Amino acid sequence: ARRSPEPSPVSAAVRLVASDLDGTLLGMGDVVSERTRRAIAALVERGVHVMAATGRSQWTAASLVAPVDGMDLVVCSNGASLYHVRREESLASYPIADAVVDAIVRILATELPGCCYGWETEEALHYDRGFVAFRPEGDKDASPDLTPAPRPLPIRKLMIGHPEIRHHALLDLILPLLPLTCLGSTSGAAFVEVTGEGIDKAFGVQRVCAALGIAAEEVL
């Protein structure tokens, strides 16, 4: 009988574990199971840092992570923010340049009319009237329409919806129109999410590792 290959040796001890939330750490009903909590507790007891990295904002991610002891840090909004769950404090924010947001809105008004917008700042989530209608399951009142800069607070994540085009079809249309100084993605939601240049979940985890003195090969 053919022998199975020997497993590759681990080159370094794991010092940090980073996990996505939806479809990964979260189980049915968006709950972290008791079994998973025990596994996290065992890691923390061994001195391993455990954190989440998600496309969710701090306002929706924190409440899901809070019941998990030892899991304090969450990279939120596709890397655009770092949030401390126990302190209820935003530790870092990486916004999109105002000029880039203005360029996106201006280009889409011409090339893809009908787009609606949601946007996130350090203080709150905002949805224009079109985006509120686009997400009928939400409970937010409409904010005033997104206006050109200057703005009271910079935008760290921009969400773009369309009444007729959704999911990856919308992403495929929008990506070629975006300035090179931002990143567009979709997490399975019907809208497209935009963050600043080089800002994604991996970026957020890298920043945490740099602060803790943890090398890439020590991360799971």
Side-chain angles (χ1 to χ4, degrees), residues 18-27 36:
S19 175
D20 188 23
L21 288 182
D22 294 281
T24 309
L25 194 74
L26 300 176
T36 301

Side-chain angles (χ1 to χ4, degrees), residues 88-207:
E88 298 183 348
E89 178 185 1
S90 179
L91 302 179
S93 185
Y94 307 100
I96 311 169
D98 278 341
V100 174
V101 174
D102 290 346
I104 293 170
V105 174
R106 184 173 62 250
I107 291 167
L108 293 183
T110 301
E111 301 295 333
L112 192 61
C115 286
C116 53
Y117 297 95
W119 59 98
E120 178 186 327
T121 70
E122 288 187 13
E123 291 187 351
L125 288 167
H126 300 273
Y127 301 154
D128 67 16
R129 287 169 294 178
F131 207 84
V132 169
F134 179 75
R135 301 189 74 228
E137 74 281 3
D139 57 358
K140 291 186 66 63
D141 294 329
S143 296
D145 288 348
L146 188 59
T147 57
R151 301 182 182 91
L153 289 170
I155 292 171
R156 59 191 186 191
K157 187 172 83 167
L158 181 68
M159 295 161 281
I160 307 169
H162 194 280
E164 299 172 0
I165 311 163
R166 303 193 172 200
H167 303 289
H168 286 90
L170 182 59
L171 181 66
D172 290 343
L173 289 175
I174 287 178
L175 278 182
L177 303 175
L178 293 178
L180 296 177
T181 49
C182 63
L183 289 178
S185 63
T186 178
S187 59
F191 51 86
V192 169
E193 303 173 10
V194 178
T195 50
E197 185 176 11
I199 307 301
D200 57 15
K201 287 184 278 190
F203 166 85
V205 174
Q206 288 168 352
R207 295 303 293 259

Side-chain angles (χ1 to χ4, degrees), residues 29-113:
D30 289 343
V31 173
V32 181
S33 71
E34 184 57 36
R35 178 173 181 267
T36 301
R37 291 190 201 186
R38 290 197 301 269
I40 292 170
L43 286 169
V44 172
E45 188 175 352
R46 291 171 54 188
V48 177
H49 299 274
V50 183
M51 62 179 295
T54 178
R56 287 177 177 264
S57 71
Q58 66 190 52
W59 296 281
T60 61
S63 61
L64 298 172
V65 173
V68 184
D69 292 335
M71 203 167 185
D72 297 339
L73 295 178
V74 186
V75 169
C76 299
S77 306
N78 292 332
S81 74
L82 175 64
Y83 189 73
H84 196 291
V85 177
R86 309 301 157 203
R87 299 182 198 165
E88 298 183 348
E89 178 185 1
S90 179
L91 302 179
S93 185
Y94 307 100
I96 311 169
D98 278 341
V100 174
V101 174
D102 290 346
I104 293 170
V105 174
R106 184 173 62 250
I107 291 167
L108 293 183
T110 301
E111 301 295 333
L112 192 61

Side-chain angles (χ1 to χ4, degrees), residues 1-5:
R2 180 180 297 175
R3 293 183 62 188
S4 300

